[in-house]
Amino acid sequence: MLSTFKNIVLVFTIGLSLSDDILCQELDLSVVVVGPTSASSTDKSVFPLMEKAIKELANNQKWTTDHFDPNERIKCKMQLSVRSDNGNGNFKCDLLIDASRPVFGSAYETSLFVVNEKDIPISFEGYKPLENNKETYTDNLSALITFYAYYILAMDYDSFSLEGGDTYINILQNMLASLPGNAKGFDESWSSSSNKKNSRFFLLENLTNIRMKPFRRANYEYHRICLDNIAKSPESARSQMISSLEAIAATDVTYPNSFLLQSFLSAKRIEIIEIFKGGTMDEKNKVINTMSTVDPSNTTAYNSIKS
């Protein structure tokens, strides 16, 4: 009887341990893989398998040593659009990815960044699982998901504390430094010699470049000091947000047209417009002037703040 009781306790304890492991995953990634629109001989069943493999790596992997409750998991969305099928499981893809976090005191979630990458080569074998490539490169799709998992963490932690994402930025730097030459030759987005400025290499380079240090501070202030207090004190939050936006815009002078700034604008454009529709006329004019300078192609959209 005692032996039976011990077995029950052991099973219960193991069950709790497994539950803890499940509960502490950091990412809650939804994935859509879109097959090529042109006629292709590709077996279309490969794309659901690709979705499943990406989700399993992102959502089942333990990326940090921190504990995350289910409601704390970072929500992120990924769309991988297969532009061409090059045969033998080789594809050329475009990637759209964004991550969000909740805003304190509200039911609102704010997008941390939006990244749009083009012409990414991947190889995918339908039933082979993807792997964390933090230390060892196995294939480009695994490396791609690994990179963005740590990038999401870096940007999330940066939004809660000043330069709080340093741990994950260091992981990314080490990962890129250890990538073999054949990986960089296969996908130029890993390489400093790439002609693509909207690449993983330059996204990380922007984040660590001394010229973009003011961006990281202003990005933190935008989220933690301004957005997280906007429900409690909208006037004060808007006033401080203008200063943060001016500091972010100033980085376009010291480091023009950075990928990091573009990803911020893609995520925040509509949010900024909606926030300042409730501002004073002076606030509206300041924001329109600042954002139109750094994001001129969307001047008309910013002018809608006055409507």
Side-chain angles (χ1 to χ4, degrees):
M1 185 72 175
L2 181 59
S3 175
T4 301
F5 176 76
K6 287 181 177 178
N7 288 338
I8 292 172
V9 170
L10 179 61
V11 170
F12 180 70
T13 302
I14 292 173
L16 285 178
S17 177
L18 290 173
S19 296
D20 284 344
D21 287 341
I22 292 169
L23 291 177
C24 65
Q25 308 308 319
E26 301 87 353
L27 303 184
D28 182 9
L29 177 71
S30 61
V31 184
V32 175
V33 175
V34 181
T37 54
S38 59
S40 171
S41 59
T42 303
D43 180 357
K44 299 302 186 291
S45 66
V46 73
F47 301 124
L49 293 173
M50 193 182 295
E51 281 185 10
K52 183 173 182 288
I54 292 171
K55 286 179 186 176
E56 287 179 348
L57 173 59
N59 295 336
N60 298 342
Q61 173 74 32
K62 188 75 178 75
W63 300 100
T64 77
T65 57
D66 295 335
H67 180 86
F68 280 62
D69 287 330
N71 62 309
E72 296 174 324
R73 296 179 74 180
I74 304 167
K75 293 182 181 178
C76 23
K77 299 176 183 178
M78 174 184 290
Q79 179 172 303
L80 194 66
S81 300
V82 180
R83 295 180 58 189
S84 62
D85 172 13
N86 300 324
N88 298 317
N90 295 302
F91 306 94
K92 186 66 70 71
C93 306
D94 293 341
L95 174 71
L96 180 64
I97 185 167
D98 71 82
S100 62
R101 75 133 162 113
V103 172
F104 289 179
S106 74
Y108 177 66
E109 291 205 348
T110 183
S111 177
L112 290 165
F113 67 86
V114 174
V115 165
N116 196 345
E117 262 206 77
K118 303 288 186 181
D119 297 322
I120 305 169
I122 64 168
S123 299
F124 181 70
E125 299 176 21
Y127 292 95
K128 182 180 178 182
L130 303 179
E131 302 177 36
N132 185 329
N133 274 205
K134 178 178 72 171
E135 296 175 349
T136 303
Y137 178 85
T138 59
D139 66 275
N140 206 48
L141 183 55
S142 290
L144 181 73
I145 304 308
T146 300
F147 177 91
Y148 278 111
Y150 285 115
Y151 185 78
I152 288 166
L153 289 165
M155 297 305 289
D156 182 77
Y157 278 66
D158 256 15
S159 78
F160 284 105
S161 63
L162 182 59
E163 299 184 1
D166 277 353
T167 296
Y168 309 105
I169 291 171
N170 291 337
I171 289 172
L172 289 171
Q173 288 179 306
N174 291 334
M175 177 184 168
L176 261 67
S178 66
L179 283 175
N182 65 308
K184 296 176 181 178
F186 181 73
D187 182 357
E188 65 173 341
S189 192
W190 299 119
S191 173
S192 61
S193 61
S194 170
N195 292 322
K196 294 169 60 179
K197 296 305 178 185
N198 290 6
S199 68
R200 268 153 272 137
F201 176 88
F202 283 107
L203 192 60
L204 182 58
E205 188 277 341
N206 294 169
L207 197 55
T208 55
N209 192 295
I210 190 68
R211 290 178 291 171
M212 295 299 287
K213 199 173 183 68
F215 174 94
R216 288 185 70 189
R217 173 177 286 277
N219 186 55
Y220 155 71
E221 292 172 349
Y222 177 99
H223 289 95
R224 190 70 187 93
I225 296 174
C226 303
L227 269 188
D228 282 342
N229 288 297
I230 204 163
K232 180 173 65 176
S233 181
E235 293 82 8
S236 175
R238 284 198 309 269
S239 177
Q240 290 176 301
M241 188 174 286
I242 290 171
S243 297
S244 297
L245 291 173
E246 288 172 345
I248 287 170
T251 64
D252 197 43
V253 177
T254 55
Y255 198 143
N257 201 33
S258 69
F259 194 14
L260 186 61
L261 178 57
Q262 291 177 43
S263 73
F264 175 87
L265 294 173
S266 295
K268 300 301 185 182
R269 187 177 297 116
I270 294 174
E271 178 175 273
I272 292 166
I273 290 168
E274 292 304 313
I275 286 172
F276 284 95
K277 280 183 177 179
T280 65
M281 188 55 65
D282 183 55
E283 288 173 339
K284 291 178 180 182
N285 287 331
K286 285 181 179 179
V287 169
I288 290 170
N289 289 338
T290 297
M291 301 312 297
S292 296
T293 299
V294 75
D295 193 15
S297 63
N298 289 287
T299 296
T300 300
Y302 293 115
N303 281 328
S304 72
I305 289 174
K306 290 185 177 180
S307 61

